[in-house]
Amino acid sequence: MARGFTDLQLSTGWSFDTRNRTLFPTAGARHALSLQQTIPGLDVQYGVASYEFQQFFHLPWLARYPISVSGRLAQAYAEGNTTRVPPFSNFYLGGPDSVRGIREGTLGAARLAR
């Protein structure tokens, strides 16, 4: 039988944006850092830290078309007596129909650890 638990998080974030437009940018970059942490003394204690970036640039021979490079780094961690991060805080690879032969939401830390 599943047992319920209490979860209350504090969140903070920072972002730096030099893109020339919010919609359809062609130059500049965006950086975002976020931290989430549960309050000590609750049933479960864990945190999530993530960093996202996106850079737009032009190649000299394709000056008319912007190129975008983006990525995300994230870490979820358990603290105190908590042994695992709750399932809703896990990270999964891919999306709908992006990893052939694998159902959505099943390719993640638990599957990679096998």
Side-chain angles (χ1 to χ4, degrees), residues 22-77:
T22 304
L23 294 174
F24 307 115
T26 59
R30 180 181 179 276
H31 301 269
L33 177 67
S34 70
L35 302 169
Q36 299 173 342
Q37 180 66 50
T38 56
I39 295 175
L42 296 178
D43 297 339
V44 293
Q45 294 179 5
Y46 65 95
V48 178
S50 69
Y51 169 72
E52 297 179 47
F53 71 93
Q54 186 174 32
Q55 176 75 48
F56 292 90
F57 59 93
H58 293 274
L59 295 175
W61 60 90
L62 291 173
R64 186 173 178 192
Y65 302 102
I67 295 176
S68 171
V69 175
S70 62
R72 179 179 185 196
L73 300 171
Q75 174 75 36
Y77 53 91

Side-chain angles (χ1 to χ4, degrees), residues 101-112:
I102 304 293
R103 288 192 341 254
E104 180 181 1
T106 61
L107 186 57
R111 184 171 182 102
L112 294 174

